[in-house]
Amino acid sequence: MTGLLVVVSGPSGAGKSTVLKTVMEKRSDMFFSVSATTRSPRPEEVEGKDYFFMGFEAFHKLRLEGRFLEWTQYAGHCYGTLYDPVMKRLNNGETVVLDIETNGATQVMERYPAAVSIFLTPPSEAEAERRLRSRGTESEETICNRLEVTRGCFRYIDRYQYIVINEIIEETAKTLEAILTAERARTGRNPGLFADFRKQRID
Ligand code: 5GP
């Protein structure tokens, strides 16, 4: 059985990384896709765990080689999902989670209609701003820029199959797990299941 490709988008301050971390801690068959980016690392970020940090030249070399499943420019930087690690895990039957913005998510939905798409949102714009500021890692200019992008990305909510409001992290993580459990149980995702039994009944 092929695995589940899960696309999670949401504005800065939605709490995506915290929620995803909470969900992934409980499951060993879930793989978080580490993206490539030209943005500089934040103090707490680790190369190869949070992102593959690289210069514009290296990024565009990968792009020209067709190594990205999707890529985009966001807030002045390039971000891209590497094709090979994602496909390897999916072929292994694992769940692969992409934390990507709306443009990249749209590319993935078009290429892989079987992908599960989830839009994660903070309860309000004020809360998004509060969370962004509480990181304490970004300049005022970056925060304003990100808030502007935040407002813009709500325009794309209708493209997603699920919308989840992140108020309490543990509750949101449970909702995400419930979505993934239900998606895995879809008849269409389990074509070979009970094949022999079905055949006998029909015959
Ligand atoms: P940040 O700089 O805060 O880590 O991420 C900024 C935005 O880029 C977030 O919305 C995040 O989901 C998105 N992002 C991270 N990696 C990728 C990627 O590989 N592709 C796309 N399209 N967006 C990404």
Side-chain angles (χ1 to χ4, degrees):
M1 192 180 99
T2 49
L4 204 63
L5 182 58
V6 184
V7 180
V8 181
S9 300
S12 297
K16 273 175 301 174
S17 30
T18 319
V19 169
L20 290 178
K21 240 175 241 164
T22 310
V23 175
M24 318 270 290
E25 268 163 16
K26 293 184 195 149
R27 299 198 60 118
S28 57
D29 62 343
M30 274 177 87
F31 169 74
F32 179 75
S33 163
V34 179
S35 296
T37 184
T38 59
R39 146 166 104 57
S40 307
R42 296 185 185 124
E44 75 286 3
E45 286 178 329
V46 178
E47 164 72 21
K49 184 169 165 276
D50 297 289
Y51 280 106
F52 296 109
F53 296 98
M54 59 186 68
F56 277 93
E57 224 170 273
F59 188 96
H60 287 295
K61 184 169 179 286
L62 289 175
R63 182 175 72 78
L64 292 173
E65 287 169 0
R67 302 271 297 279
F68 288 126
L69 176 65
E70 61 72 40
W71 79 280
T72 197
Q73 276 182 305
Y74 179 94
H77 294 288
C78 296
Y79 294 82
T81 303
L82 291 158
Y83 186 85
D84 285 350
V86 171
M87 287 307 143
K88 197 175 139 218
R89 300 283 181 161
L90 285 179
N91 290 334
N92 227 7
E94 289 171 73
T95 296
V96 180
V97 179
L98 312 182
D99 168 356
I100 60 178
E101 52 66 66
T102 49
N103 179 29
T106 308
Q107 294 173 47
V108 175
M109 289 175 210
E110 279 165 6
R111 279 182 82 172
Y112 296 94
V116 179
S117 53
I118 303 170
F119 192 92
L120 193 68
T121 145
S124 66
E125 196 180 316
E127 178 60 13
E129 182 168 354
R130 193 197 64 74
R131 288 180 191 173
L132 257 181
R133 290 190 186 283
S134 70
R135 271 188 203 159
T137 52
E138 266 119 332
S139 67
E140 185 59 30
E141 192 192 345
T142 307
I143 290 173
C144 289
N145 196 347
R146 282 180 181 249
L147 281 172
E148 200 48 48
V149 179
T150 293
R151 287 178 201 114
C153 83
F154 281 97
R155 214 179 308 143
Y156 301 103
I157 284 186
D158 288 346
R159 295 185 185 176
Y160 292 77
Q161 294 162 323
Y162 297 94
I163 175 163
V164 177
I165 299 169
N166 180 26
E167 225 151 344
I168 299 162
I169 288 164
E170 286 70 27
E171 292 303 314
T172 311
K174 276 186 204 158
T175 306
L176 249 60
E177 278 180 72
I179 291 171
L180 299 185
T181 303
E183 285 290 339
R184 285 192 197 96
R186 275 186 187 272
T187 318
R189 292 195 197 276
N190 298 279
L193 211 58
F194 299 115
D196 290 348
F197 183 67
R198 286 188 215 172
K199 197 165 169 276
Q200 280 167 21
R201 300 280 296 194
I202 291 162
D203 289 346

